[in-house]
Structure formats: structure tokens, C-alpha cells
Amino acid sequence: MQLPPPVHGASVMNNYIFKSKIINAEFDTTYLPLKFVSKVSEIGRFSFRKLFLFFKIVGSILKTMFTLKPDVVYYTIAPFGGAFYRDALLVFLIKLFRPKIVFHLHGKGIEEQCKSIFKRKIYQLTFKDVTVITLSKLLNYDIEKVNNGKIYNIPNGIEVHHHTAVKNKKSPTIKVLYLSNLVKTKGILDLLTAIELIKDLEVDYEVDIVGNSADISVDSLKEIILTKNLQNKVNVLGPKYANEKWQILYNSDVFVFPTFFKNECFPLVILEAMQTQNAIISTDNGAIEEIIKDCGIITPQNSPEKLAFVLKELLQDSNRIQQLKVKAKTKFDKKYTLEKFEINFTQTLKKILNEN
């Protein structure tokens, strides 16, 4: 598995497994970190250092398979790109020793790759006689053309954050929050367009944007806000981490995440917003519809006009905001805590081990 750094959804969940007292008490575990990069920007780029590390990992796998003879090999396989072909080679090597193999998919994009007959054959060989874990039933479609084994679904979970802050705002201002890196496909520009469409709304609200520069810089975002004359409504706070980030989440009322990122599956930031009792507005992307069902609002991807309509309706209905906030927190506590994930993961691996 990939462990941080770099920090991304898959590496965060893998680190939870690596450190889990519940999981590691149930199984005799050995971990082989797939360490090829240390920065997100290095993902998908070839380097001779990666090639050297690949052969080093091949050696580690061979040694481990020969000496430990594991009953099951758990592998967080990349869904596409050069990383997939790298993983496919390593999986082929593992299959020579005939253990049970479990793929845990944290991304999507396989269906798109399988439009090529040649690529589909490679995927089918890689997925042959493998058990697959996806993050949601809504993501099972992505492997229908390549999978011949059983599929289990385990939703992600995150640590319960114990914070001194509580939801007890004295200000009547409704706080709307965007929290993610400033990536166009995460919908940040759609949000600004939506705010522009409702900027004359006679409701006391303001928008906080939290995130680091990506394909949009913090400075260029501020310029866009000035151009749209939104400086009285929108605050660009830049990146915030640890307690600063959590304080902002606790002090917000509505979390907006209009993502149309093609590899979006199960964004952990939505779980953070649910934990801190925010009403959620997001898109029908990946497993998001399942995550916020009954406790949030879904809008179409890449549609700022529909987002503006939904946001306007919600901002005008303080009772509904409060209802969604309570429902989001209740659903988080029931389904998306780290402890719940650890229990689901343990039970699933036991079932796989007991299969004939």
C-alpha cells in the first residue's frame, strides 16, 4: 500500500489501516510500502529513481512471499495510467505464489480505459481470480467489464476530531465554506459563478474559501473575485491545517463542494464537514450521492446555474439548514467514523479468508 507522503485519500486510508489497533490485533500483518513519490506533483511522472524503487520493491515482494507465504495479499491498486501497469506487473509476480488477492480501489477510471480491447484484456488478466473492495456500490460499475470475482463495499471513515470549539455561533451570518485545493475540476469557479448569480440575495451570508494554490493560485482567485465584485461576500483564506482548519469547519453552516473531478470517488473532506455539523451541497460524482443521501443536496456537475438555484433556496430556509446539519452529524456518527471503517474492514477480510 501507498503510505504518506504524499497525502491523498488513498494514502490517508492506508495509514489508518497501518496504525489500526483493531485491524492489527485481528491479523498477523506485514506491510510493504509502495513508496515511489513524496509529492503529489510527482504522481504520474516517469523518473529513473522510480524505476530503481520498482526493482527494489520486486525484491521485497519476492522475499516476503517466499518467507511468509501469506494467506492473503491486500493491494491498493491504481486504476489507470503508468501506475496501473506497474501494479499489474507486481500483481502478476504475486499471483505466481497463489495467495488470495484483495484489490482495494480508491479511484475510478477503469471503464474508460476498457474502451480499448487491448487494455481491457490486460485489466481482465490483472483482475482475474481477485476479490475487489470498492468504496460504494455506486462505483461497482467501473469494474463490470474486467472483474470475475466477488465485490465488497467498504465506505471510508475518518478519525473523530475532539475539538474545544462547538457549534454555538452568536452571529446570524450564514457561513458557507469551500475547503479543497484550488483545482478547477473541484468546482471552485462554478461556486464563484453561482455566488455572482445570487449576490443580490437579501440574506446575511458570506463565503469562506480555504485551500492551497493548484491550477488556480490564491492571488489569481482574489483577482477573479474582484472582477466579479464579490469581495464583500467571499473571503479567500488560503491553506489552513490542523486546528485552524477544524475551527473553520466548526464555525461554518453550509459546506459546498461542486466537484466534477473525473477521479472523484469518496472525498474525505465531505466526511469532515459532516462530522462538524454542516449542511452539504455537492454533485452526483463518485459515491457522493450515497454519502450525503438524506442529509445533503445533490446538484449536477459543472452546472453553476443549478448550484446557484440550490444555494439560493437553502440560504433562504434557515430551518432546513439546521435540519440538514443535524442529519449530517447523525449519519457521520452512524456510518463514517474510523472505528466503523476498522470494524467493516476486519469483518470483510475475515469473510474473504473463509471463502473457498
Side-chain angles (χ1 to χ4, degrees), residues 126-255:
T126 305
F127 277 75
K128 186 178 180 181
D129 301 323
V130 166
T131 302
V132 180
I133 298 172
T134 68
L135 305 179
S136 163
K137 286 183 180 179
L138 293 180
L139 297 167
N140 288 358
Y141 76 92
D142 199 42
I143 56 171
E144 286 177 352
K145 294 178 181 177
V146 302
N147 179 63
N148 70 338
K150 203 162 187 177
I151 303 175
Y152 291 89
N153 308 118
I154 304 178
N156 285 336
I158 60 172
E159 289 180 291
V160 175
H161 185 261
H162 300 287
H163 197 277
T164 53
V166 292
K167 288 274 190 186
N168 188 24
K169 292 196 313 163
K170 295 180 180 179
S171 170
T173 303
I174 300 170
K175 298 284 283 186
V176 178
L177 175 65
Y178 170 95
L179 172 59
S180 182
N181 286 334
L182 305 181
V183 179
K184 291 176 184 177
T185 54
K186 295 288 185 176
I188 179 59
L189 296 182
D190 284 356
L191 174 59
L192 291 184
T193 300
I195 297 300
E196 185 179 21
L197 291 171
I198 64 169
K199 66 181 179 182
D200 296 327
L201 184 67
E202 293 184 359
V203 173
D204 185 8
Y205 77 95
E206 62 182 29
V207 182
D208 288 338
I209 295 175
V210 177
N212 211 344
S213 298
D215 57 5
I216 303 173
S217 70
V218 170
D219 289 339
S220 63
L221 191 68
K222 289 178 179 179
E223 290 178 10
I224 293 170
I225 288 166
L226 285 172
T227 301
K228 292 179 178 291
N229 196 26
L230 297 177
Q231 62 271 22
N232 293 328
K233 281 292 179 190
V234 182
N235 311 305
V236 180
L237 305 181
K240 300 292 179 184
Y241 304 104
N243 283 337
E244 270 193 303
K245 180 191 77 171
W246 286 104
Q247 184 67 58
I248 291 167
L249 279 161
Y250 273 104
N251 288 335
S252 298
D253 301 293
V254 179
F255 179 76

Side-chain angles (χ1 to χ4, degrees), residues 30-43:
T30 299
Y31 294 93
L32 295 182
L34 297 177
K35 195 70 174 176
F36 294 99
V37 300
S38 57
K39 299 177 182 177
V40 172
S41 60
E42 295 173 345
I43 295 175

Side-chain angles (χ1 to χ4, degrees), residues 30 44 46 92 138 149 157 166 231 261 320 335:
T30 299
F46 173 80
F92 175 77
L138 293 180
V166 292
Q231 62 271 22
F261 177 51
R320 192 178 184 205
K335 294 194 68 172

